[in-house]
Amino acid sequence: MDSKKSLYLPDYIKAISPYQAGKPIEELAREFDIDIKNIVKLASNENPLGVSRRVTNVIEKYSSGIFRYPDSNGFNLKDILAKKYNVPFESITLGNGSNDILEMISMTFLDRNSSAIYSEYSFAVYKLATQARGARHIIVPSVNYGNNLDAMFNSIEPDTRLIFIANPNNPTGTFVDKEKIINFLDNVWEKYGKSVLVILDEAYSEYLDDDLYFDSFSLIKHYPNLIVCRTFSKAYGLAGLRVGFSVADKDITDFLNRIRQPFNVNSLAQIAAIASLEDDEFLKKSRLLNKVEKKKIYKAFEILGLEYIKSYGNFVLVRVGDARSINYSLLRLGVIVRPVDSYDLPEWLRVTIGLPEDNDFFIKALSEILK
Ligand SMILES: *Cc1c(COP(=O)(O)O)cnc(C)c1O
């Protein structure tokens, strides 16, 4: 075709490969002709307990109100978050999932003359959000499959604007403790000030044991270059509604909100998030289930002689060898887990901690395959 008439794509857009999501249950049912009831999905780090009754109740109650636009400022949700986490209202940004926040951050601070830093084996969205702006990425080798903060600090270039850190990390489940994070923030702030922003992506922090959890929101006061992201998709069980938020310095927040789509968080998501924050019992149950079942899965891997990475989230990365073939065998038995070859981990599978019976089903299937 006449090149004047063909699709024009910037090179950096051409370079993007699509995000690979966990396979939906319905898709597997169609492809392998398996009854949905016999399928177990342990692929997207969703909460196996589902969602709090309080949430389904408010959604039912308010659903007839969806003809109205949502509150574009998300006042009620931000108000509750501000009180719960003891942060200024003006420091909160709401997102259509925290993925939306990561996109807003890259849109606000990256351009074709800048770079972003993230670790090898870190969340796929960092790469996507960086590529979509035409910015350069600097991928730093991991240490024991986790973020190597010293190496990340040493990788900062004059054009570096952002450093993404998932803590706990997905897909590997590793965690960097408070002391190391603070030391890193001190170093970056001292040498680069506001010119290099650090994004602490804490999608799994609700799953941390009390002795490891730290209040990173309180660090915003000391580090005006810090952005902390959280989500309602994981422990709160609202993945399908899409709500996340960030806390950052007011100036940063102001610019994020200029980029933000005015109605990015829908009305049901806003009320659901509020209701979920009121159900501590549900969160407690989710944490406990995760802790107990994770140990069970570790033990099964040990019995099978499989290497795994100790995880601080609601999933475990396990080395199975030929992951592509083992994944296929699992699918045939009705088990959906997450291959991570796109993360350069072709021998590994990521398994979300599910309900006890789902985990048993997975362990039995895997044992049979490896026999
Ligand atoms: C799941 C996840 C997110 C975002 O999920 P949303 O559903 O968009 O809130 C962000 N970061 C990490 C590391 C995740 O694993």
Side-chain angles (χ1 to χ4, degrees), residues 58-70 267-268 271:
V58 295
I59 287 181
E60 230 166 276
K61 203 159 134 210
Y62 287 95
S63 59
S64 60
I66 58 172
F67 69 97
R68 289 200 193 283
Y69 276 98
S267 45
L268 293 181
I271 56 160

Side-chain angles (χ1 to χ4, degrees), residues 10 15 65 77 103 111 113 135 177 236 268-269 271 274 280 290 300 325 340 346-347 349 351:
L77 176 53
E103 284 290 333
D111 61 19
N113 304 312
D177 65 26
Y236 287 103
L268 293 181
I271 56 160
I274 291 169
D280 283 338
N290 190 59
S325 136
V340 280
E347 296 193 345
L349 292 171
V351 185

Side-chain angles (χ1 to χ4, degrees), residues 19 44-45 96-100 102 123 125-126 166-170 201-204 230-234 238-239 242-244 315 350:
Y19 180 80
S44 300
N45 302 345
N96 184 31
S98 53
N99 196 146
D100 186 28
L102 297 171
F123 191 43
V125 168
Y126 308 153
N167 200 35
N169 185 48
N170 173 19
D201 179 1
E202 301 185 328
Y204 302 96
R230 297 271 182 105
T231 181
F232 287 90
S233 297
K234 306 287 161 54
L238 302 184
R242 319 298 306 126
V243 205
F315 56 89
R350 194 195 69 191

Side-chain angles (χ1 to χ4, degrees), residues 130-157:
T130 302
Q131 281 181 311
R133 312 281 100 79
R136 207 157 56 84
H137 44 232
I138 299 174
I139 304 171
V140 178
S142 61
V143 55
N144 300 323
Y145 296 97
N147 288 289
N148 183 345
L149 296 190
D150 290 336
M152 289 170 101
F153 178 72
N154 290 326
S155 303
I156 298 174
E157 302 259 349

Side-chain angles (χ1 to χ4, degrees), residues 239-268:
L241 278 175
R242 319 298 306 126
V243 205
F245 65 100
S246 66
V247 177
D249 177 69
K250 289 173 196 173
D251 288 348
I252 290 176
T253 304
D254 174 34
F255 280 104
L256 291 180
N257 280 279
R258 297 187 202 191
I259 289 298
R260 187 176 61 80
Q261 287 184 31
F263 303 106
N264 64 329
V265 182
N266 73 72
S267 45
L268 293 181

Side-chain angles (χ1 to χ4, degrees), residues 109-290:
F109 299 105
L110 293 181
D111 61 19
R112 278 199 267 184
N113 304 312
S114 56
S115 66
I117 292 178
Y118 51 87
S119 175
E120 169 189 44
Y121 313 137
S122 64
F123 191 43
V125 168
Y126 308 153
K127 182 177 182 181
L128 290 169
T130 302
Q131 281 181 311
R133 312 281 100 79
R136 207 157 56 84
H137 44 232
I138 299 174
I139 304 171
V140 178
S142 61
V143 55
N144 300 323
Y145 296 97
N147 288 289
N148 183 345
L149 296 190
D150 290 336
M152 289 170 101
F153 178 72
N154 290 326
S155 303
I156 298 174
E157 302 259 349
D159 69 351
T160 301
R161 302 281 82 93
L162 303 177
I163 306 175
F164 292 102
I165 299 169
N167 200 35
N169 185 48
N170 173 19
T172 61
T174 56
F175 177 71
V176 181
D177 65 26
K178 179 179 182 180
E179 204 184 311
K180 284 195 178 132
I181 292 285
I182 289 191
N183 182 47
F184 176 76
L185 289 170
D186 274 337
N187 291 339
V188 177
W189 175 243
E190 195 171 305
K191 188 156 177 199
Y192 300 98
K194 278 191 174 187
S195 73
V196 176
L197 306 181
V198 177
I199 298 110
L200 267 189
D201 179 1
E202 301 185 328
Y204 302 96
S205 63
E206 291 83 7
Y207 286 111
L208 289 170
D209 285 339
D210 291 337
D211 58 331
L212 291 177
Y213 179 88
F214 60 95
D215 175 12
S216 35
F217 297 125
S218 69
L219 300 174
I220 301 289
K221 289 195 287 288
H222 309 285
Y223 306 102
N225 62 335
L226 173 63
I227 306 175
V228 177
C229 299
R230 297 271 182 105
T231 181
F232 287 90
S233 297
K234 306 287 161 54
Y236 287 103
L238 302 184
L241 278 175
R242 319 298 306 126
V243 205
F245 65 100
S246 66
V247 177
D249 177 69
K250 289 173 196 173
D251 288 348
I252 290 176
T253 304
D254 174 34
F255 280 104
L256 291 180
N257 280 279
R258 297 187 202 191
I259 289 298
R260 187 176 61 80
Q261 287 184 31
F263 303 106
N264 64 329
V265 182
N266 73 72
S267 45
L268 293 181
Q270 292 188 33
I271 56 160
I274 291 169
S276 75
L277 287 170
E278 288 162 355
D279 196 345
D280 283 338
E281 214 38 55
F282 179 79
L283 205 60
K284 230 196 246 167
K285 250 168 82 181
S286 306
R287 285 163 53 106
L288 183 64
L289 173 79
N290 190 59

